[in-house]
Amino acid sequence: MPWGDHEITTPAQTALDLARVLPFVRAVSAVDQAIWSERPGGPLTTLADIRKLLESSAPSRGDARARRVLDFANPLAANVRESQSRVVVVQLGFPMPLIQVRRTLRSGRLAIADLFFEREDHWCEIDGRGKYLSPEFGADRSSAEIVIDEKNRENEIRREVRGFSRWEALEADNPRRIWDILTGDGMPCSRPRP
């Protein structure tokens, strides 16, 4: 496709190329971002378009890997750390979580889970520090007000679910830490601690 004076690959082709060569967690993150349905302006491409390219192209090294990535990809994944966390929890032996689950709390406030284990009724939040420090999130509130509001929100959610876990975005780089957080919060796992 044209881009200025250059020709570049389409988003679908780029996502497929990355799915064929990147390590699984990075490939899923890349594809999730390409197909993200809530992107301002809409997704860059769709799973259907990427699959169509895969099936219509000559067999290539990495096709099996790409199929695994496409089977795991989800257009609801809001950010790379959410995608990474989803991959990590499944690789650790936890069930596949739902993502971006919306729940209206008893107060009428809408809450959205980053990950949600439906059968276990276990809610997960993955927060970067920007949520508490970035002017984008707190233009009219101090960091303390943001933290207090988030704590009150968490308290409301905890009253409505059986389990609740929270980790910082960077903790997704440490699977053992995620295992400890989830199991410490009562989430059962089919595998032992890594």
Side-chain angles (χ1 to χ4, degrees):
M1 64 182 288
W3 187 69
D5 294 334
H6 306 282
E7 292 286 319
I8 60 171
T9 58
T10 64
Q13 184 65 59
T14 303
L16 176 57
D17 293 343
L18 293 173
R20 284 176 167 149
V21 300
L22 289 177
F24 188 73
V25 68
R26 290 180 57 210
V28 168
S29 297
V31 172
D32 279 358
Q33 285 303 289
I35 64 172
W36 181 34
S37 60
E38 297 296 316
R39 174 184 304 284
L44 299 176
T45 188
T46 65
L47 268 176
D49 287 343
I50 301 168
R51 285 186 196 282
K52 184 177 175 184
L53 271 176
L54 176 62
E55 299 310 323
S56 67
S57 61
S60 177
R61 183 177 182 177
D63 282 355
R65 177 190 310 226
R67 283 185 182 86
R68 280 187 53 232
V69 168
L70 297 179
D71 288 344
F72 201 92
N74 190 316
L76 297 177
N79 60 63
V80 170
R81 290 300 188 169
E82 186 177 291
S83 298
Q84 179 187 17
S85 291
R86 191 171 88 252
V87 171
V88 168
V89 299
V90 170
Q91 289 176 338
L92 286 170
F94 295 99
M96 175 67 80
L98 301 173
I99 59 175
Q100 298 297 308
V101 170
R102 296 170 185 268
R103 180 179 286 195
T104 302
L105 303 174
R106 289 182 191 119
S107 68
R109 180 181 195 168
L110 176 65
I112 303 171
D114 293 323
L115 304 179
F116 184 70
F117 298 98
E118 188 171 34
R119 193 179 88 210
E120 296 81 4
D121 194 26
H122 196 104
W123 186 284
C124 300
E125 299 278 329
I126 306 149
D127 292 333
R129 293 183 181 197
K131 181 174 189 173
Y132 305 101
L133 301 173
S134 172
E136 174 187 349
F137 296 103
D140 58 343
R141 300 180 297 165
S142 70
S143 293
E145 290 171 318
I146 294 169
V147 170
I148 291 167
D149 187 47
E150 185 63 19
K151 184 61 183 161
N152 289 335
R153 176 182 168 276
E154 179 178 324
N155 289 339
E156 267 193 89
I157 294 166
R158 283 181 182 275
R159 287 189 284 272
E160 296 191 23
V161 297
R162 278 185 288 185
F164 185 99
S165 296
R166 177 187 298 280
W167 57 89
E168 278 197 66
L170 291 175
E171 289 180 298
D173 292 335
N174 184 346
R176 181 178 288 172
R177 177 76 179 126
I178 300 303
W179 192 94
D180 289 345
I181 290 169
L182 285 168
T183 59
D185 290 334
M187 185 65 198
C189 188
S190 66
R191 295 186 189 144
R193 184 174 191 252

